[in-house]
Amino acid sequence: MPCAACHGPDGNATLPGMPSLAGQPVFFTHWQLIKFRDGRRKDPGMSPFAANLSDADMADLAAYYATLPPRGRPQAVDATKAAAGQRLAAANYCTSCHRPDLSGQQQVPRLAGQDLEYLLRLLRAYKAQTAADLDGTMTMAVQPLSEADIENLAHYIAGLAPTP
Ligand code: HEC
Ligand code: HEC
């Protein structure tokens, strides 16, 4: 599988803007692959690699990435923004779906230590209602947020060390 070229040999991506897959809940990865294959979620880099996956391939890939240990990556996190983001994550119930350590569950992704650029891109897309949201809950969750809130949250999340 050519997935490693972009997402890292151990599922921890190092390219800026590229999401890590290590330690993602099985359901989450499986659903995202289905969305890419169906064309509901589109990305010029990613979509071709999901186009020909069978259901069994997707189940195997999702199970594989869930077993890999997630690692944080060196990122330029702003401490003041991160502190504000921590308060916002509690006040906006991010932690009730994504769990208090932001390790994710079921169809809800792990966020802790994810790439800063990627987090900003996705949060802005949910806010603009252009992200291919699985069930609409994420789009709803970000509507009250300002651009400054989104930046604060992304800095908090990116700097949070992933727990196993
Ligand atoms: C050419 C680079 C490239 C390759 C190869 C690639 N991907 Fe991706 N993948 C991406 C990009 C870029 C994104 C983010 C797309 C976006 O911003 O919506 C992504 C997103 C994903 C996501 C969603 C992650 C998240 O946190 O939402 C999953 C799951 C995924 N890829 C799995 C795979 C698998 C499995 C393979 C191999 C079969 C693979 N990718 C191959 C570039 C790639
Ligand atoms: C009601 C449950 C719920 C709440 C509350 C919630 N999320 Fe989510 N979040 C989800 C689900 C489900 C997804 C996957 C959606 C999809 O398929 O695109 C997601 C996806 C994301 C993603 C994309 C990650 C990736 O790897 O693709 C980010 C970033 C994110 N949430 C951040 C947040 C933040 C920040 C908050 C608080 C403002 C929040 N979420 C509140 C359920 C929730």
Side-chain angles (χ1 to χ4, degrees):
M1 283 292 172
C3 321
C6 293
H7 294 289
D10 62 354
N12 290 285
T14 51
L15 302 167
M18 191 64 69
S20 291
L21 307 178
Q24 282 294 7
V26 176
F27 277 15
F28 170 73
T29 300
H30 199 149
W31 270 115
Q32 299 309 311
L33 290 173
I34 289 174
K35 280 165 46 182
F36 280 118
R37 186 181 63 185
D38 292 355
R40 272 196 283 164
R41 183 173 176 180
K42 291 193 180 78
D43 180 84
M46 177 60 212
S47 297
F49 291 94
N52 297 315
L53 295 176
S54 68
D55 292 341
D57 291 339
M58 290 186 187
D60 290 350
L61 285 161
Y64 168 65
Y65 282 111
T67 64
L68 298 178
R71 278 192 282 108
R73 45 180 136 183
Q75 309 200 67
V77 170
D78 178 303
T80 309
K81 288 183 181 173
Q86 181 166 19
R87 290 189 294 273
L88 285 165
N92 288 278
Y93 309 105
C94 316
T95 46
S96 54
C97 289
H98 291 274
R99 304 191 35 170
D101 61 356
L102 302 185
S103 59
Q105 55 181 332
Q106 304 287 323
Q107 80 280 16
V108 182
R110 169 184 288 278
L111 302 175
Q114 188 56 280
D115 180 74
L116 180 61
E117 225 178 88
Y118 177 74
L119 290 167
L120 285 168
R121 187 163 80 236
L122 268 270
L123 289 171
R124 287 171 181 151
Y126 288 122
K127 170 83 187 188
Q129 308 195 10
T130 57
D133 193 346
L134 187 63
D135 56 9
T137 52
M138 202 36 229
T139 297
M140 265 167 57
V142 298
Q143 291 313 307
L145 305 179
S146 66
E147 169 61 22
D149 292 341
I150 286 177
E151 281 178 30
N152 291 339
L153 280 162
H155 279 260
Y156 168 60
I157 294 167
L160 197 62
T163 52

